[in-house]
Amino acid sequence: MLSVETKYFGTLLCAEGSVFDFPQGLPAFEEEKTFVLIEAPEGAPLVFLQSLARASLCFVALPILVVDQNYRLAVAPEDLENLGLDTERQPELGSEVTVLALVSLHGELSPTANLMAPVVLHVKSRRGMQAIRRDSRYSHAYPVEAQPAPKDPASSNGQKAWSPEPKC
Amino acid sequence: MLVLRRRAGESFLIGDEIEVELLAVTAQGAKIGIRAPRETIVLRKELKITQEQNAHAANAASLEDLEQTIKKLRP
């Protein structure tokens, strides 16, 4: 277990399995090389990508299939290679890779998700990167509407929304 | 937008110091070479957009903003 100082959840003990190396960082954050994936039931459907080195840096994200259940991956061969994945085919969403869309908040307007540049996490090698698509099939600012949240009793009974038991 | 027609091996200039050469054209796309002063930043446009999106996304969100967002996203 790893003690991680987080932006939203105080200090958490995280399993090694939720720590991902980003050898290239993220665009505009190239110096941040390690992120922890945090899921908090109270925060669902949002998930959190917390920088290990910088507690104040935590991206809000959504599993890409929550944003678009028909999303089709198109990770470029050189990106697959960087992730340690088979370069001859697209990886299987869910089993081989966890794929997230980073979310931007816009006050009263709908939040938007970046479907053009999904964060791809290779579960086995625990390597991650933001794999910018070469095509223009998906928007970098796709408005996200209400989603059916996973069954979560705490969300429906009016309990205060932010006493989470985050998992990471 | 200025549109030029170039064949592989032909190039054009932007200002005095930047040369763009079309190296090859295949079914997968065009291969382009750029000769420019070292201080000129050359970025794929998607990368620039992603940098901006990330910078904005990272700024986001006090806990209150997040709670609002989560409420919005739940049915």
Side-chain angles (χ1 to χ4, degrees):
Chain A
M1 298 293 263
L2 195 66
S3 177
V4 181
E5 221 185 302
T6 70
K7 178 172 180 181
Y8 299 117
F9 309 103
T11 303
L12 292 181
L13 277 181
C14 292
E16 305 278 333
S18 42
V19 180
F20 290 87
D21 287 327
F22 283 67
Q24 304 153 328
L26 290 171
F29 297 92
E30 286 80 6
E31 71 285 6
E32 307 294 330
K33 308 284 194 197
T34 316
F35 285 86
V36 183
L37 178 61
I38 302 172
E39 295 174 48
E42 310 284 354
L46 295 176
V47 297
F48 303 87
L49 209 53
Q50 170 70 51
S51 162
L52 195 67
R54 199 180 347 155
S56 62
L57 180 62
C58 182
F59 290 99
V60 178
L62 282 165
I64 206 137
L65 294 180
V66 169
V67 183
D68 178 352
Q69 59 177 346
N70 298 314
Y71 190 85
R72 299 291 295 270
L73 276 179
V75 183
E78 53 266 40
D79 292 345
L80 291 170
E81 194 176 348
N82 284 334
L83 287 163
L85 286 158
D86 187 344
T87 57
E88 299 294 313
R89 63 179 176 85
Q90 289 298 308
E92 274 174 44
L93 242 163
S95 55
E96 272 181 292
V97 290
T98 301
V99 182
L100 308 175
L102 296 188
V103 171
S104 293
L105 307 186
H106 308 280
E108 293 303 304
L109 301 172
S110 289
T112 57
N114 186 349
L115 299 183
M116 185 190 77
V119 171
V120 180
L121 305 172
H122 183 195
V123 177
K124 205 161 149 197
S125 74
R126 296 217 307 271
R127 225 178 296 163
M129 74 175 299
Q130 193 164 13
I132 303 173
R133 297 179 71 103
R134 302 327 195 230
D135 61 16
S136 48
R137 185 165 171 180
Y138 291 99
S139 167
H140 64 273
Y142 182 87
V144 186
E145 309 298 339
Q147 302 294 326
K151 282 201 179 64
D152 174 11
S155 67
S156 55
N157 63 10
Q159 189 179 319
K160 174 126 179 58
W162 212 252
S163 53
E165 294 168 37
K167 273 187 309 197
C168 60
Chain B
M1 184 188 287
L2 171 69
V3 178
L4 296 173
R5 197 174 287 274
R6 300 273 70 186
R7 297 174 196 279
E10 296 178 343
S11 65
F12 59 89
L13 300 170
I14 300 173
D16 291 333
E17 296 193 292
I18 299 173
E19 179 181 2
V20 181
E21 181 174 344
L22 184 57
L23 298 172
V25 185
T26 68
Q28 278 74 47
K31 199 174 193 179
I32 293 165
I34 299 160
R35 212 168 278 122
R38 188 163 289 280
E39 63 274 15
T40 305
I41 296 172
V42 179
L43 272 187
R44 288 191 289 143
K45 187 176 176 187
E46 322 73 280
L47 181 58
K48 175 85 175 159
I49 292 172
T50 300
Q51 288 175 339
E52 290 165 359
Q53 285 293 309
N54 285 356
H56 184 272
N59 274 335
S62 60
L63 276 182
E64 292 71 35
D65 296 335
L66 279 184
E67 285 183 9
Q68 287 301 320
T69 305
I70 290 161
K71 269 188 211 143
K72 259 186 245 170
L73 292 181
R74 288 181 177 174

